[in-house]
Amino acid sequence: MSAFETIAHSPVPLYVQVKDRLRERIFDGTYAAHAQLPPESELGAVFGVSRITVRQALSDLQREGAIFKIPGKGTFVAKKKAAQELTRLEGFAEAMTRKGYAIYNRVTGHRSVPATPEVAERLGVEPGAAVSEIRRIRHLNREPVSLEITYLPEELGERLRHEDLSKRDIFLIFENDFGIPLGHADLQIGAVSADSELAAALQVAEGSALLRIERLTCTADGKPFDFEYLYFRSEAFQYHLRIARRPEASA
């Protein structure tokens, strides 16, 4: 960062301009992950603004997860979140391995259970019918990043008992081993607070914010066969999606 950063005279509030400049320095690598930011007074001198303005900018960056504070030590750059695009249907390990991450799945449960009304509706079976439930904690570079609870027709779930789910994606097994072509998935995305079970599984504090996704995947002929609850650590993972405002106008 240069000795002095010019803040433009514009309708944009000063703290927003400072926040945007700092975010740029974080994203371009000027401040690397876990690097300590200068004190508020020094940042105020660099940008020519008050400490109150700097403090407000830092508070916003902390809420965004770009930085974190350690009492008595200072403010540090957070590790960049891993991200998966929603423009294609692929498994978590499939997407992350392509980006160079090391993936490991710890299977914590694989059993037959009665279908709840919601699971039954999504999979197109009768409530109470036997379905397979698979629970996995997904590790990204040795850190737990998500808990995934998968429900499948019992026949498919039983076939998966013979597969190594610690290292392989279920989607790839379906397509490559079982010959089941995938078609599309419907997702619902929201947020929840970690209860004691989720906190223990993901190694976060109870009450921490988690990203919650419901995903129903269908075969190429439109038959639903895989329904999942996905819980992600919000400070470690994010989804990316690009959408257009309107279709391109015809010539």
Side-chain angles (χ1 to χ4, degrees):
M1 181 177 289
S2 61
F4 186 80
E5 294 265 341
T6 302
I7 295 296
H9 295 287
S10 76
V12 179
L14 291 176
Y15 81 91
V16 174
Q17 295 186 57
V18 172
K19 177 183 67 175
D20 290 344
R21 295 290 182 84
L22 288 173
R23 188 194 292 115
E24 289 173 6
R25 301 299 180 268
I26 292 171
F27 286 170
D28 69 16
T30 301
Y31 288 119
H34 297 159
Q36 184 172 5
L37 293 181
E40 292 176 359
S41 57
E42 184 176 334
L43 288 174
V46 168
F47 290 107
V49 298
S50 69
R51 290 184 63 176
I52 294 177
T53 298
V54 171
R55 191 172 298 129
Q56 192 171 4
L58 294 177
S59 294
D60 276 11
L61 288 173
Q62 185 174 14
R63 279 193 293 271
E64 293 174 8
I67 62 173
F68 62 94
K69 296 183 178 181
I70 300 178
K73 292 188 177 181
T75 303
F76 299 83
V77 176
K79 184 170 58 177
K80 185 178 180 181
K81 294 181 180 180
Q84 181 176 354
E85 288 75 28
L86 290 180
T87 52
R88 59 187 296 180
L89 176 57
E90 58 184 350
F92 178 74
E94 184 181 5
M96 295 297 99
T97 300
R98 182 163 47 82
K99 294 186 176 184
Y101 291 98
I103 305 299
Y104 171 76
N105 308 318
R106 182 161 67 89
V107 180
T108 61
H110 192 155
R111 59 178 182 158
S112 178
V113 299
T116 64
E118 182 176 20
V119 170
E121 180 183 1
R122 298 301 184 91
L123 291 180
V125 300
E126 292 295 323
V131 295
S132 285
E133 178 192 80
I134 301 173
R135 292 175 176 254
R136 294 172 295 165
I137 300 175
R138 315 298 293 267
H139 290 73
L140 190 71
N141 291 347
R142 301 185 179 182
E143 294 183 356
V145 69
S146 72
L147 170 66
E148 302 190 2
I149 306 173
T150 303
Y151 293 95
L152 303 159
E154 190 172 35
E155 178 190 358
L156 287 179
E158 287 303 309
R159 291 177 69 182
L160 286 175
R161 286 188 183 275
H162 306 292
E163 304 295 334
D164 185 2
L165 299 183
S166 67
K167 298 178 181 178
R168 301 190 65 195
D169 257 347
I170 288 178
F171 282 178
L172 291 179
I173 294 173
F174 284 147
E175 287 199 315
N176 298 338
D177 297 9
F178 297 173
I180 302 175
L182 306 186
H184 68 275
D186 296 318
L187 285 80
Q188 297 182 26
I189 303 175
V192 296
S193 297
D195 59 17
S196 57
E197 180 184 0
L198 288 170
L202 298 178
Q203 297 179 18
V204 297
E206 193 168 343
S208 296
L210 301 176
L211 182 67
R212 181 181 187 271
I213 297 174
E214 294 182 12
R215 181 172 67 189
L216 176 65
T217 303
C218 298
T219 60
D221 60 5
K223 183 179 179 180
F225 77 103
D226 180 307
F227 178 59
E228 297 173 286
Y229 297 107
L230 315 175
Y231 299 91
F232 286 92
R233 288 171 53 173
S234 59
E235 88 287 357
F237 188 81
Q238 61 188 345
Y239 275 102
H240 285 174
L241 175 63
R242 173 178 290 183
I243 57 175
R245 180 170 175 82
R246 60 178 63 87
E248 292 186 6
S250 58

